[in-house]
Amino acid sequence: ERLIDREFPNAFAAVRARHARAEARDDDILDAFAALWSADRIARADLVVLDSPTRAREVVKEEQGAGLEQVLRRREAAVFGVVDGISLEDWDPRRDGHIKSGYSRDDLVGKRSCKLDLQSELGLRADAARPLYGVFGALSQAHGTDLVVAAADGLLEVGVDLAVVGRGERALELALAGLAERFPGRVGVRLSTE
């Protein structure tokens, strides 16, 4: 006996009944299948990892579980959320060995040196006073990189330079590389994860 049949014996009953009366749409059947498949994967998983601790607490509630709260509640001990961001200890600019100079909110002297170093590394004009907008990480629509590309001309027009380090969707990589070619010294792009 399959786990999904044992845990959700009537899951398709309503869809089958509607389909028999020619009322069900193909989307209804696909949605029901997707929910059953997801429930089966959750039931079998060693861990269920979500994008935040708050989300992990919310999905076991009916209003936030998208129909999967029953199986998520049964697996609650295996449901975890990870903070989407950085470790403040590992990336503390006062102690970070990967940057040219340490700095803090109370002592910004080293930040100027780091900015000049970044500008130099990316082929930008070295100017500590010039505004610099940075994008570091996944280059994707989901992370808003398409919005950066769309706003780039306007940013450059008002004197803001652009620094980009990351990898991602090919169309966005090409668009950013094109900006760097059109605006040498103003847009620096390194297609890398390091």
Side-chain angles (χ1 to χ4, degrees), residues 6-174:
R6 186 176 70 246
E7 297 290 330
F8 303 96
N10 299 317
F12 272 125
V15 174
R16 281 190 194 118
R18 285 174 46 200
H19 188 66
R21 294 189 310 267
E23 294 173 7
R25 301 182 327 259
D26 287 342
D27 287 350
D28 293 331
I29 295 169
L30 291 175
D31 288 347
F33 178 77
L36 286 174
W37 185 88
S38 296
D40 186 55
R41 299 297 102 193
I42 290 167
R44 294 171 185 262
D46 293 328
L47 293 174
V48 179
V49 182
L50 297 159
D51 62 350
S52 77
T54 301
R55 183 76 179 127
R57 287 188 301 274
E58 291 173 346
V59 296
V60 298
K61 299 174 185 166
E62 186 173 343
E63 60 275 4
Q64 296 291 322
L68 298 170
E69 63 279 346
Q70 182 182 4
V71 69
L72 285 162
R73 221 177 350 266
R74 274 200 303 275
R75 300 295 322 280
E76 194 165 359
V79 177
F80 291 92
V82 295
V83 177
D84 186 16
I86 61 171
S87 162
L88 297 179
E89 290 179 21
D90 293 341
W91 296 97
D92 184 342
R94 293 173 294 181
R95 298 185 279 280
D96 191 338
H98 296 97
I99 58 177
K100 186 170 184 128
S101 302
Y103 63 91
S104 71
R105 79 176 96 187
D106 299 322
D107 179 11
L108 296 175
V109 174
K111 188 172 185 177
R112 181 181 192 281
S113 175
C114 290
K115 182 178 181 179
L116 292 169
D117 189 50
L118 176 64
Q119 288 170 322
S120 174
E121 278 191 38
L122 293 179
L124 300 170
R125 287 185 295 200
D127 183 351
R130 186 172 198 86
L132 179 64
Y133 183 81
V135 177
F136 302 91
L139 306 178
S140 69
Q141 286 186 13
H143 290 95
T145 310
D146 56 322
L147 302 175
V148 174
V149 170
D153 285 332
L155 289 170
L156 295 162
E157 191 175 298
V158 296
V160 177
D161 288 348
L162 180 61
V164 179
V165 178
R167 294 301 313 232
E169 295 171 14
R170 186 73 178 138
L172 293 171
E173 289 181 352
L174 291 171

